[in-house]
Amino acid sequence: ITPTHKIRDIKHDYKRDYSIWSLILLFFTFSVIGWLWEVSLHIASEGFVNRGVQHGPWLPIYGSGGIVILVVLKKLRGHPIITFFATVVLCGILEYATSYFLEISHNGTKWWDYSGYFLNINGRVCAEGLLVFGLGGCVIIYFGAPFFDDLFMKIPHKIQIILCISLLEIFSADVIYSHKHPN
C-alpha cells in the first residue's frame, strides 16, 4: 500500500491528520454504518430491530472505535499488519469496557453475549468479532476515513461546523432520553 494514490480524482492519503470537524463527521458516519451493519445482520432472522441502546440510527461504539483507531494508531498506519493487530486489541478493550459499562449502568442488562463463541472473554468479546473489527478497522484507516474526509473537505467550513453542532445536539438529546428510556 502506498501512502497516497488517486482513485477517480479523490486523493487517498491514509497518513493524513484529520480536523476536529472531520473527526466528528467520521464519528457519525461510522456510527451510522455500524448501525446499518448490525440491523442488516439480524433483519433476516428477526425482522427490523433498531439495534443499540439509543433510538437514533447510530451505534456510537462503532463511531468511537473508528475515531480511537484513527487517533491512537496514527503512527502505525505505515505498517498494515501491526495496525491490524493493534486494532484488534483496541477494539477488544473498547467492546469489553462498553459491555461492562452498559451492564452496570442499565441494572445488569446484557446488550450482547458471546458466551457460545470461540475464545470469548466473559461473553463480552470473542475472537470472531475481534477479527472482523480488525479487518473493519483497517478498511476504515486505509480507505474509509480518507474517502469520507475527502468528501467532507468539499463541504464549506461554516456548513461543516453547523452540521457537526446540529448532529452533536441531536445525539446528546438521544443520549439523555435513552439513558432513562433505553431502546
Side-chain angles (χ1 to χ4, degrees):
I1 298 176
T2 58
T4 305
H5 61 281
K6 287 189 173 204
I7 300 175
R8 295 187 194 168
D9 297 326
I10 294 180
K11 184 178 173 188
H12 283 279
D13 175 11
Y14 63 78
K15 290 188 176 184
R16 71 179 71 190
D17 291 317
Y18 295 93
S19 72
I20 186 68
W21 306 111
S22 187
L23 288 172
I24 292 168
L25 292 172
L26 287 168
F27 168 81
F28 284 104
T29 301
F30 300 148
S31 294
V32 169
I33 290 170
W35 182 83
L36 290 169
W37 168 258
E38 291 276 340
V39 167
S40 68
L41 284 176
H42 298 275
I43 204 160
S45 61
E46 302 170 29
F48 175 80
V49 176
N50 185 11
R51 306 287 297 174
V53 178
Q54 295 178 273
H55 295 271
W58 41 50
L59 290 174
I61 191 169
Y62 284 88
S64 300
I67 299 309
V68 166
I69 62 173
L70 283 174
V71 172
V72 173
L73 302 181
K74 182 181 186 308
K75 292 183 179 184
L76 298 179
R77 290 184 200 163
H79 309 282
I81 301 297
I82 295 170
T83 296
F84 169 80
F85 287 109
T87 300
V88 167
V89 170
L90 275 178
C91 288
I93 291 167
L94 178 65
E95 186 175 31
Y96 193 96
T98 301
S99 171
Y100 183 77
F101 172 77
L102 288 174
E103 190 173 328
I104 63 171
S105 65
H106 290 89
N107 300 319
T109 300
K110 283 191 168 194
W111 292 90
W112 60 84
D113 187 359
Y114 299 122
S115 294
Y117 287 79
F118 180 66
L119 291 177
N120 78 83
I121 302 174
N122 299 322
R124 298 183 191 283
V125 296
C126 68
E128 178 183 331
L130 293 177
L131 292 174
V132 170
F133 288 141
L135 290 172
C138 288
V139 169
I140 284 172
I141 289 170
Y142 297 111
F143 304 104
F147 173 80
F148 288 117
D149 189 46
D150 287 342
L151 293 178
F152 299 152
M153 286 192 290
K154 294 178 180 184
I155 301 171
H157 188 68
K158 286 183 182 181
I159 303 296
Q160 280 185 22
I161 294 170
I162 292 167
L163 183 59
C164 288
I165 290 171
S166 299
L167 285 168
L168 288 168
E169 287 173 343
I170 294 166
F171 181 79
S172 297
D174 191 3
V175 168
I176 292 165
Y177 179 78
S178 297
H179 183 70
K180 290 190 178 200
H181 309 282
N183 178 28

